[in-house]
Amino acid sequence: MQRLLFLPLKAVMGSPCLRLLIPGAAPRTQCGCSCGIRRPLRPGQYSTISEVALQPGRGTVSHPSKAAERVVGRWLLVCSGTVAGAVILGGVTRLTESGLSMVDWHLIKGMKPPTSQEEWEAEFQKYQQFPEFKILNHDMTLAEFKFIWYMEYSHRMWGRLVGLAYILPAAYFWRKGWLTHGLKGRVLALCGLVCFQLPETRQLLRLRRFAHGTAGLVFLTALSGAFVAGLDAGLVYNSFPKMGESWIPEDLFTFSPLLRNVFENPTTVQFDHRILGITSVAAITALYFLSRRIPLPRRTKIAAVTLLALAYTQVGLGISTLLMYVPTPLAATHQSGSLAVLSAALWLMSELRRVPK
């Protein structure tokens, strides 16, 4: 042994067995030759790669047990059942025309139904302010309203149940390590769909209400066009965008009393028609871009595009009619176009009502 220590350092270090005998040499668990020399292991030191792989938190891929896989599988089946129930309940809600009975939507608030007669009457009054009641259900009683309200309430509460039944167990299984690497990606994707389903519902409700308001605006514009035709108001100021040399003509309110100008003053009638037309086109444009922010069926998208195209065509016809001193064929086409725009607005309203929430 003493002779061995006088060997050149390079030769000594080259031997895996002799390396273990050199004081200060790097510790090794076992040499690579057949001598089988082993050094004592320090706490936290592992002798083989397989032992390292079995230790948690060391970058290794853990696999859930068979029992955990069965639990996760049953959970996914339950989630599938709740989603199927939501689809069926949503279809019944749509068939009973209950979708807009709850005019307010909150994720946390609004989870308690009305309990007193006063609260029910207040909720019913909110519903009466919307076009669905005024156009379709104007003769609805409070008892009938309670039925459609509870249908929509059940649908929304079931939707909350679907979210809780998915998100809470998913977080628990993730923390327990019961999800494989591939399943984690799918769980995240589905969780994103669940979380973004509620904002889309709010956007759809807002889009429906905006479509109702836009249709009403289009109707007012068409009605003002009838006054323009009746008073030959298109022959008063044949320039655009200004009326003559000014934006607001001086003879706008020459009639007395003041309200007569709205119905009998050709200048006021043309001015009102211009303002309503420009506002209608702006509203239709905004409605189109809002409709592109949420996924809609193909027929609904076609209705939105058709309304947009007809609106701009109608504006072009109106301006051309004005600048060309109201030729009869062009004026008649413009009048017919107002019916086409109103029909497209009503079509879009109908398609939006068919979209499930």
Side-chain angles (χ1 to χ4, degrees), residues 129-144:
Q129 304 304 315
F130 287 86
E132 181 173 289
F133 174 82
K134 296 178 180 179
I135 298 175
L136 298 177
N137 301 326
H138 54 85
D139 56 348
M140 176 178 285
T141 64
L142 181 59
E144 293 171 336

Side-chain angles (χ1 to χ4, degrees), residues 253-330:
F253 300 112
T254 57
F255 287 16
S256 180
L258 192 64
L259 189 60
R260 281 187 58 200
N261 293 278
V262 178
F263 303 102
E264 299 181 18
N265 188 341
T267 300
T268 308
V269 168
Q270 187 190 126
F271 181 81
D272 292 343
H273 188 61
R274 290 186 183 212
I275 297 301
L276 286 171
I278 294 172
T279 306
S280 296
V281 171
I284 291 172
T285 304
L287 180 64
Y288 170 74
F289 284 106
L290 285 175
S291 68
R292 297 189 60 182
R293 298 176 60 180
I294 59 176
L296 294 173
R298 182 173 177 270
R299 283 174 55 92
T300 311
K301 293 180 179 179
I302 293 176
V305 173
T306 302
L307 176 59
L308 183 71
L310 288 175
Y312 278 93
T313 301
Q314 181 69 354
V315 169
L317 289 173
I319 295 175
S320 301
T321 301
L322 190 68
L323 298 179
M324 299 176 67
Y325 292 89
V326 196
T328 301
L330 198 57

Side-chain angles (χ1 to χ4, degrees), residues 65-82:
S65 64
K66 295 295 182 181
E69 290 180 349
R70 285 194 295 270
V71 173
V72 173
R74 291 168 184 168
W75 163 65
L76 292 175
L77 286 177
V78 170
C79 290
S80 301
T82 58

Side-chain angles (χ1 to χ4, degrees), residues 79-304:
C79 290
S80 301
T82 58
V83 171
V87 172
I88 296 172
L89 184 58
V92 175
T93 303
R94 177 56 47 207
L95 291 174
T96 56
E97 301 292 342
S98 306
L100 292 178
S101 57
M102 296 179 66
V103 297
D104 297 323
W105 195 99
H106 303 282
L107 182 60
I108 304 299
K109 295 172 57 179
M111 298 182 68
K112 182 181 178 182
T115 55
S116 64
Q117 183 70 15
E118 292 76 12
E119 291 179 352
W120 275 114
E121 290 177 355
E123 192 71 22
F124 192 29
Q125 288 177 0
K126 291 180 183 178
Y127 176 68
Q128 292 173 348
Q129 304 304 315
F130 287 86
E132 181 173 289
F133 174 82
K134 296 178 180 179
I135 298 175
L136 298 177
N137 301 326
H138 54 85
D139 56 348
M140 176 178 285
T141 64
L142 181 59
E144 293 171 336
F145 171 73
K146 288 183 179 180
F147 172 77
I148 66 171
W149 193 94
Y150 273 118
M151 286 296 304
E152 175 62 12
Y153 178 77
S154 302
H155 186 210
R156 296 189 185 191
M157 293 302 295
W158 190 269
R160 292 183 174 104
L161 176 63
V162 172
L164 292 177
Y166 183 82
I167 294 176
L168 294 182
Y172 175 78
F173 295 150
W174 191 298
R175 183 176 179 83
K176 295 284 289 185
W178 290 3
L179 302 178
T180 62
H181 180 73
L183 190 57
K184 286 181 178 179
R186 298 184 181 95
V187 166
L188 283 178
L190 291 175
C191 185
L193 293 177
V194 171
C195 292
F196 284 106
Q197 179 70 14
L198 304 176
E200 288 177 3
T201 301
R202 291 197 298 271
Q203 291 179 5
L204 179 59
L205 289 176
R206 287 197 296 265
L207 186 63
R208 285 174 176 170
R209 294 169 185 171
F210 192 72
H212 292 164
T214 302
L217 189 60
V218 170
F219 175 76
L220 288 178
T221 305
L223 186 63
S224 69
F227 283 94
V228 172
L231 295 175
D232 291 329
L235 298 173
V236 179
Y237 288 94
N238 299 97
S239 58
F240 189 86
K242 290 184 177 182
M243 298 182 69
E245 298 296 328
S246 60
W247 293 99
I248 301 178
E250 297 180 356
D251 55 340
L252 193 62
F253 300 112
T254 57
F255 287 16
S256 180
L258 192 64
L259 189 60
R260 281 187 58 200
N261 293 278
V262 178
F263 303 102
E264 299 181 18
N265 188 341
T267 300
T268 308
V269 168
Q270 187 190 126
F271 181 81
D272 292 343
H273 188 61
R274 290 186 183 212
I275 297 301
L276 286 171
I278 294 172
T279 306
S280 296
V281 171
I284 291 172
T285 304
L287 180 64
Y288 170 74
F289 284 106
L290 285 175
S291 68
R292 297 189 60 182
R293 298 176 60 180
I294 59 176
L296 294 173
R298 182 173 177 270
R299 283 174 55 92
T300 311
K301 293 180 179 179
I302 293 176

